[in-house]
């Protein structure tokens, strides 16, 4: 009996599989369980011209600030405890990229359609709103049954690659969330041609269910291409129960984003080295704040 | 209806009337999820749950349904929350950066959508909310910047836009009320345009008209009802249990 495929990669190896012009989905929600270590690796690369699909948070902000987004598909972009993402706002206000602005539920059904290899799914959402005006390519569909109702046909949000972050994973790509909400990370993985799962801690398969219920096993290995162990890899977003959002650091991020000189300083200090350098810089910053 | 306050409670402030007006939105709603956005709607929802609408479901703002004491009674991650929206078992009270006379609401951006003067949150769940479950609004600072003739990006769908979009849009569409620091507004008019349902005590029709960027339907001074007074028991709950640190006064100063 041979062992299952070992999918361990470094953040750099994940980014090495991506190309400019790709459509990349990013899991999590707002400033919650975002695969920030993978996003930071993407920031360090030459890759650009991306179509990003995200329930947007600082992942979108950072990629927008670095000029890597050609088109964004989103229903919002927020830092949660800070309602408006400063880099996203600035990028939109200078017309930096195209936006496909759809509703949260339309987004979910677009992912679901992609995961089920359907071209679209019908939803009672969007009708009457300006989502239809700003997305003139959206079509409606009429129920073939007696009700004859008209719905929005949300096109499948199929993507070249998905990036998600979970609490635990094994080498084969089984991903486990231990926090309160799965968000839509399993759908992202299933809706993508390739999916890369970063995790707080890599464990043996048997350990996944030693202390946690089996329904925490959110992501199945058949939909995963690569697994990356990146402790604190969701920083500064939440990764409950391993850690909560780093609110002081998020505040510093938002404050720096408001001013070009401060942002240059932030980038030099935190985003110019590799992931290990980032985590050390954050730790040093916290010690300074004492 | 006025109830004499007991010695333990102070007189009702404007913020207390706002809490009552928000709480009333969930009266007789039955076993549905009350989704309040903002401080005062949150206090209002919990007040309704503790008093006249005991069957309401509440969340802790994350993935749990919780009782009034915070005890978890259910799991509600985002994807199940969205199913509660489309199943209609929810009454949300959302915010609005702009709202017009027919209840079209905007939280997306100010100015031209292509390159906005001010980018805000994005449409979030407003399009799906408004077509599927009752949506009320809370606006802590009633002004002609918010109450506009025409919103820049229709996020939440109003009565005229829903009607134009057809039966699938109107089937479950309902905007029970808009609550502000000045009063309560609804759309119980023949053409479904906004009218004053009640003024908070101390507010005049003139004051509301001056702060509204469109003509409110009907109602002149003297015809207006006033938002009801909280009972002594309600005041005590608000002041001592639901908001002992008086955070509501930050949203609506006395």
């Amino acid at each position: 009996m041979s062992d299952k495929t070992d999918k361990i990669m470094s953040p750099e190896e994940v980014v090495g599989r991506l190309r400019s012009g790709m459509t990349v989905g990013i899991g999590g929600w707002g400033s919650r369980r975002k695969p920030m270590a993978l996003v930071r690796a993407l920031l360090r690369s030459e890759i650009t011209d991306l179509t990003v699909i995200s329930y947007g948070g600082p992942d979108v902000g950072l990629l927008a600030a670095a000029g890597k987004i050609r088109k964004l598909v989103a229903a919002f972009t927020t830092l949660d405890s800070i309602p408006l993402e400063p880099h996203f706002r600035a990028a939109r206000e200078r017309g930096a990229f195209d936006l496909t602005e759809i509703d949260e539920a339309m987004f979910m059904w677009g992912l679901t359609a992609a995961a089920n290899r359907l071209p679209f799914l019908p939803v009672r959402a969007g009708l009457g709103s300006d989502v239809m005006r700003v997305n003139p390519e959206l079509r409606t569909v009429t129920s073939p049954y007696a009700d004859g109702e008209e719905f929005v046909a949300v096109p499948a949000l199929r993507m070249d690659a998905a990036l998600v972050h979970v609490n635990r994973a094994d080498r084969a790509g089984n991903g486990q969330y231990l926090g309160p909400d799965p968000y839509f990370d399993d759908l992202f993985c299933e809706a993508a041609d390739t999916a890369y799962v970063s995790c707080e801690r890599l464990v043996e398969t048997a350990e996944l269910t030693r202390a946690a219920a089996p329904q925490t096993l959110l992501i199945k290995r058949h939909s995963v291409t690569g697994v990356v162990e990146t402790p604190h890899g969701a920083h500064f977003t939440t990764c409950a129960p391993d850690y909560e959002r780093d609110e002081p650091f998020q505040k510093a991020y938002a404050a720096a984003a408001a001013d070009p000189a401060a942002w240059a300083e932030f980038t030099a200090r935190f985003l110019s080295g590799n992931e290990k350098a980032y985590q050390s810089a954050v730790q040093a910053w916290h010690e300074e704040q004492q | 209806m006025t109830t004499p306050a007991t010695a333990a409670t102070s007189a009702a402030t404007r913020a207390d009337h706002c809490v009552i007006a928000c709480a009333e939105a969930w009266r007789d709603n039955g076993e549905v999820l009350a989704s309040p956005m903002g401080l005062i709607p949150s206090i209002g929802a919990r007040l309704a749950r503790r008093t006249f609408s005991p069957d309401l479901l509440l969340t802790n703002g994350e993935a749990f349904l919780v009782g009034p004491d915070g005890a978890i009674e259910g799991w509600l991650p985002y994807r199940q929350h969205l199913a509660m929206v489309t199943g209609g078992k929810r009454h949300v009270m959302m915010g609005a950066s702009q709202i017009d006379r027919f209840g079209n609401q905007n939280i997306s951006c100010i100015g031209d959508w292509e390159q906005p003067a001010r980018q805000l949150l994005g449409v979030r769940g407003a399009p799906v909310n408004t077509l599927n479950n009752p949506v009320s609004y809370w606006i802590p600072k009633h002004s002609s910047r918010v109450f506009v003739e025409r919103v820049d990006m229709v996020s939440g769908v109003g009565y005229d836009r829903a009607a134009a979009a057809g039966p699938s849009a109107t089937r479950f569409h309902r905007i029970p009320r808009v609550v502000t620091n000045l009063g309560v507004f609804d759309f119980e008019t023949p053409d479904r345009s906004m009218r004053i349902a009640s003024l908070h005590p101390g507010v005049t029709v003139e004051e509301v008209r001056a702060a509204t960027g469109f003509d409110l339907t009907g109602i002149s001074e003297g015809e207006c009802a006033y938002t009801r007074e909280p009972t002594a028991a309600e005041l005590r709950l608000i002041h001592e249990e639901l908001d002992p640190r008086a955070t509501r006064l930050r949203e609506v100063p006395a």
Side-chain angles (χ1 to χ4, degrees):
Chain A
M1 198 178 78
S2 62
D3 277 350
K4 292 190 290 280
T5 310
D6 188 321
K7 298 175 184 171
I8 300 300
M9 292 183 188
S10 66
E12 285 67 31
E13 283 173 304
V14 170
V15 170
R17 307 272 189 115
L18 307 180
R19 295 287 173 267
S20 292
M22 274 188 169
T23 297
V24 177
I26 303 177
W29 172 286
S31 192
R32 303 168 196 216
R33 219 176 69 220
K34 284 288 177 178
M36 298 300 283
L38 298 183
V39 169
R40 286 187 281 266
L42 194 47
L43 288 176
R44 293 192 296 271
S45 76
E46 297 297 310
I47 292 166
T48 188
D49 200 32
L50 295 172
T51 292
V52 172
I53 298 178
S54 177
Y55 284 107
D59 52 333
V60 168
L62 282 166
L63 292 170
K68 299 214 176 268
I69 303 180
R70 178 174 58 80
K71 184 166 101 171
L72 174 69
V73 181
F76 59 79
T77 304
T78 181
L79 297 174
D80 293 315
S81 50
I82 298 173
L84 304 176
E85 215 298 334
H87 288 304
F88 165 71
R89 297 192 73 180
R92 277 282 287 150
E93 288 167 15
R94 62 173 190 269
F97 51 75
D98 294 336
L99 177 64
T100 296
E101 184 169 357
I102 55 173
D103 165 270
E104 287 169 13
M106 293 171 71
F107 192 118
M108 175 177 78
W109 290 110
L111 292 179
T112 308
N116 288 276
R117 297 191 297 186
L118 290 168
F120 72 90
L121 276 168
V123 297
R124 192 191 307 278
L127 297 166
S129 78
D130 273 337
V131 160
M132 304 306 283
R133 170 172 67 88
V134 303
N135 300 291
E137 72 284 359
L138 281 177
R139 296 287 172 264
T140 59
V141 62
T142 303
S143 166
Y145 298 104
D147 57 84
E149 282 204 72
E150 187 191 35
F151 301 102
V152 169
V154 181
L157 292 174
R158 193 74 204 169
M159 48 198 86
D160 295 303
L163 310 176
V164 305
H165 186 79
V166 294
N167 302 94
R168 307 283 177 269
D170 69 10
R171 310 173 77 84
N174 294 302
Q176 179 177 46
Y177 81 110
L178 298 171
D181 202 312
Y183 309 117
F184 301 89
D185 288 0
D186 49 336
L187 278 178
F188 272 97
C189 293
E190 290 163 18
D193 294 338
T194 58
Y196 302 93
V197 178
S198 60
C199 64
E200 286 301 310
R201 199 149 60 76
L202 191 72
V203 298
E204 292 301 323
T205 306
E207 200 184 314
L208 291 168
T209 47
R210 202 161 284 152
Q215 56 269 37
T216 58
L217 295 171
L218 181 66
I219 293 159
K220 287 111 182 87
R221 62 184 167 85
H222 73 279
S223 61
V224 174
T225 310
V227 180
V228 188
E229 186 179 36
T230 56
H232 274 90
H235 182 269
F236 49 87
T237 72
T238 57
C239 191
D242 292 313
Y243 47 90
E244 294 299 329
R245 185 178 303 123
D246 186 344
E247 295 287 357
F249 192 84
Q250 178 168 285
K251 261 190 207 148
Y253 162 85
D259 170 61
W263 183 246
E265 206 177 302
F266 185 98
T267 305
R269 177 163 187 187
F270 297 107
L271 301 173
S272 56
N274 62 14
E275 180 63 17
K276 200 172 162 214
Y278 171 83
Q279 297 293 350
S280 311
V282 169
Q283 202 181 345
W285 181 84
H286 272 291
E287 281 158 17
E288 280 170 27
Q289 308 300 307
Q290 299 293 314
Chain B
M1 185 191 79
T2 322
T3 315
T6 65
T9 58
S10 56
T13 61
R14 179 67 58 79
D16 296 326
H17 286 112
C18 292
V19 169
I20 291 295
C22 290
E24 286 289 340
W26 287 288
R27 188 183 282 276
D28 299 328
N29 277 199
E31 213 158 22
V32 308
L33 178 69
S35 290
M37 300 181 187
L39 278 171
I40 285 179
S42 298
I43 301 165
R46 285 183 290 135
L47 180 68
R49 167 71 180 78
R50 289 282 294 267
T51 55
F52 49 78
S53 291
D55 289 335
L56 286 176
L57 297 135
L58 297 173
T59 75
N60 66 343
E62 299 281 338
F64 295 115
L65 293 167
V66 292
D69 57 354
I72 294 170
E73 66 164 324
W75 182 51
L76 192 69
Y78 282 114
R79 55 182 81 182
Q80 290 192 1
H81 201 134
L82 283 168
M84 249 170 137
V85 171
T86 48
K89 295 290 183 188
R90 176 178 184 255
H91 180 172
V92 59
M93 185 172 277
M94 297 178 67
S97 303
Q98 295 178 321
I99 191 164
D100 72 15
R101 75 179 67 217
F102 294 109
N104 295 292
Q105 170 254 25
N106 175 24
I107 44 172
S108 171
C109 65
I110 302 296
D112 181 23
W113 179 87
E114 292 290 338
Q115 190 172 342
R118 267 177 80 79
Q119 174 65 44
L120 305 174
L121 280 173
V123 293
R124 296 217 66 150
V128 71
N129 287 347
T130 41
L131 261 51
N132 291 279
N133 62 187
V135 176
S136 292
Y137 292 105
W138 161 245
I139 293 153
K141 215 169 168 184
H142 192 130
S143 83
S144 54
R145 288 166 62 102
V146 179
F147 285 77
V148 294
E149 194 63 54
R150 220 183 134 76
V151 306
D152 293 335
M153 169 84 179
V154 176
S155 310
V157 179
Y159 280 100
D160 59 334
R161 295 276 297 233
S168 180
T170 56
R171 187 167 177 192
F172 304 114
H173 178 265
R174 194 160 72 85
I175 309 175
R177 63 173 59 194
V178 178
V179 181
T180 80
N181 59 320
L182 299 184
V184 180
F185 306 83
D186 66 22
F187 302 88
E188 302 299 318
T189 52
D191 69 346
R192 295 298 210 172
S193 58
M194 197 186 293
R195 63 158 198 177
I196 303 172
S198 73
L199 297 175
H200 299 326
V203 177
T204 64
V205 170
E206 205 34 60
E207 197 180 345
V208 171
R209 288 201 192 286
T212 306
F214 53 84
D215 289 333
L216 286 156
T217 297
I219 306 202
S220 56
E221 197 85 53
E223 289 176 30
C224 264
Y226 285 93
T227 306
R228 76 165 172 89
E229 293 295 327
T231 66
E234 286 170 338
L235 261 190
R236 193 198 64 77
L237 264 178
I238 298 168
H239 290 204
E240 293 173 20
E241 292 190 37
L242 298 173
D243 188 29
R245 296 170 67 186
T247 58
R248 65 196 176 281
L249 296 174
R250 273 189 265 144
E251 210 165 46
V252 174

